[in-house]
């Protein structure tokens, strides 16, 4: 993809429904990997996150005037999860989503890099995230970009282990390889 094709920017409040649609299309693939009731709760939490005010930033990726991806950035575990006991006091990215029609074009990587760049601007030295084994392709991407397991921030959601990951942004290859 040519860099000029992809635009990363802050989401506008008027775009919340479009963002919710992209996120739900992106996460729909997991609907069959969990019980229906659990999927419905997850789907509702995704939609609610779009309309909530907890994220510090909502970053969208746009190609040809169409939103094809998004990520939310929070400043702490309290803001991200309502869980100050987790003890994360640096940026956390959540709900990285790329519409299935835009996958394989570097959109997810660009969104993660933009969040890391913004974290550095805030004076943060780390970026955190959480995911589960169900999201194997996401885990593979995070590890390729340099995120490492941060066991101290693991949690559970019902029976599911939600694994913590963290990257030390200064000196990492994450921003050095940015196009």
């Amino acid at each position: 993809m040519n860099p000029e094709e992809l635009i990363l920017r802050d989401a506008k409040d008027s775009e919340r429904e479009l963002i919710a649609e992209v996120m739900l299309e992106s996460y729909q693939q997991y609907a069959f990997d969990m019980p229906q009731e659990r999927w419905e709760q997850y789907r509702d939490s995704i939609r609610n996150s779009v309309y909530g005010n907890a994220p510090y930033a909502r970053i969208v990726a746009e190609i040809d005037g169409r939103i094809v991806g998004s990520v939310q950035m929070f400043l702490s575990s309290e803001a991200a999860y309502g869980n100050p006991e987790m003890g994360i006091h640096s940026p956390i990215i959540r709900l990285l989503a790329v519409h299935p029609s835009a996958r394989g074009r570097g959109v997810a990587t660009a969104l993660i890099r933009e969040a890391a760049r913004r974290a550095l601007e805030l004076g943060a030295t780390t970026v955190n995230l959480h995911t589960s084994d169900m999201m194997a392709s996401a885990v593979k991407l995070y590890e390729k970009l340099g995120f490492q397991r941060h066991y101290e921030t693991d949690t559970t959601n019902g029976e599911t282990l939600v694994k913590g990951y963290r990257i030390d942004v200064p000196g990492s290859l994450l921003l050095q390889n940015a196009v």
Side-chain angles (χ1 to χ4, degrees):
M1 170 176 3
N2 295 328
E4 63 272 6
E5 291 179 348
L6 180 66
I7 297 169
L8 300 174
R9 60 175 176 79
D10 287 312
K12 300 172 188 163
D13 284 345
S14 62
E15 296 172 320
R16 289 187 186 208
E17 189 57 30
L18 292 170
I19 295 165
E21 289 172 15
V22 167
M23 291 172 73
L24 291 171
E25 285 283 325
S26 174
Y27 282 87
Q28 179 65 38
Q29 73 188 68
Y30 303 114
F32 304 107
D33 293 335
M34 57 181 76
Q36 182 175 349
E37 181 179 334
R38 175 69 187 111
W39 164 248
E40 289 170 0
Q41 291 170 348
Y42 191 47
R43 180 196 62 208
D44 292 346
S45 74
I46 291 169
R47 177 171 283 289
N48 291 340
S49 75
V50 174
Y51 288 95
N53 292 318
Y56 171 77
R58 285 186 178 85
I59 306 166
V60 294
E62 185 181 289
I63 297 175
D64 296 329
R66 188 173 138 246
I67 295 173
V68 296
S70 69
V71 69
Q72 296 178 4
M73 188 168 87
F74 298 81
L75 298 182
S76 68
S77 56
E78 182 172 10
Y81 308 114
N83 186 351
E85 296 81 23
M86 191 177 279
I88 301 174
H89 303 287
S90 63
I92 298 170
I93 57 173
R94 290 197 65 211
L95 297 168
L96 174 67
V98 177
H99 192 276
S101 67
R103 290 188 180 154
R105 298 175 70 182
V107 175
T109 298
L111 285 163
I112 294 167
R113 285 184 170 145
E114 177 63 11
R117 186 191 66 73
R118 291 179 184 209
L120 274 177
E121 284 181 353
L122 291 170
T125 58
T126 62
V127 173
N128 298 269
L129 62 85
H130 289 85
T131 192
S132 68
D133 289 338
M134 174 179 68
M135 299 177 181
S137 61
V139 170
K140 187 176 176 180
L141 173 63
Y142 300 143
E143 290 176 347
K144 176 183 167 191
L145 293 175
F147 283 85
Q148 296 181 345
R149 286 283 282 116
H150 194 232
Y151 296 92
E152 298 83 8
T153 62
D154 284 359
T155 188
T156 57
N157 189 347
E159 307 250 334
T160 303
L161 174 63
V162 182
K163 297 178 177 180
Y165 283 81
R166 181 174 76 187
I167 189 167
D168 295 325
V169 182
S172 74
L173 296 178
L174 182 60
L175 294 179
Q176 292 174 14
N177 291 337
V179 177

